[in-house]
Amino acid sequence: MEPNKASTRNAWDAVASITTQIRDGSLDQALTDWITARGFTLTSTVFSSVCRFDDGVYTGTLVDHQGHAWEFLADLNDPHGSELEDVTANLGPKSPDHPNADLCDLVTMAIYYQREQQVAA
């Protein structure tokens, strides 16, 4: 994809940046390990956002190798306090296939980014 608008390029760059940080462990290696322990393959998982909620607690959205969107709360201090939910069925306009999709939305861009990686592979 060749984003021709600055807003689309910014969304692409934001998804690429957080995905790289998770994949290489530079954001928090313990978070990268948590994601891997839940069965996600880092080379094919894309992240729309990850926010540090508190020390060792992160929230975010990821897109797996099948294009499913997952919301998570990763409490690295309390594994029983973590949550992971497949929200694909509830995406609505956040899905690139929706007629009102907006590639400036980070979830939409993450799904698109994941699809582009699949094509390139």
Side-chain angles (χ1 to χ4, degrees), residues 4 12 18 44 54 67 78 89 101-102 106 111:
N4 53 8
W12 180 275
I18 194 64
S44 60
D54 203 349
D78 177 13
D102 177 7
L106 295 179
I111 295 167

Side-chain angles (χ1 to χ4, degrees), residues 87-102 107-108 111:
V87 296
T88 307
N90 302 319
L91 286 176
K94 290 189 177 290
S95 170
D97 302 322
H98 192 278
N100 296 328
D102 177 7
V107 174
T108 308
I111 295 167

Side-chain angles (χ1 to χ4, degrees), residues 6-94:
S7 57
T8 306
R9 280 192 308 275
N10 290 342
W12 180 275
D13 292 345
V15 167
S17 176
I18 194 64
T19 297
T20 299
Q21 289 176 56
I22 295 293
R23 287 180 179 175
D24 69 15
S26 64
L27 180 67
D28 186 329
Q29 185 61 50
L31 177 61
T32 299
D33 296 343
W34 183 90
I35 291 163
T36 303
R38 269 119 197 107
F40 295 101
T41 304
L42 290 178
T43 57
S44 60
T45 300
V46 174
F47 298 82
S48 66
S49 64
V50 175
C51 299
R52 183 175 165 215
F53 185 72
D54 203 349
D55 289 336
V57 180
Y58 295 88
T59 62
T61 305
L62 63 86
V63 178
D64 69 14
H65 70 284
Q66 295 178 328
H68 288 238
W70 297 80
E71 290 182 347
F72 65 88
L73 170 68
D75 186 340
L76 306 177
N77 305 309
D78 177 13
H80 301 291
S82 297
E83 298 178 21
L84 183 64
E85 180 182 4
D86 185 344
V87 296
T88 307
N90 302 319
L91 286 176
K94 290 189 177 290

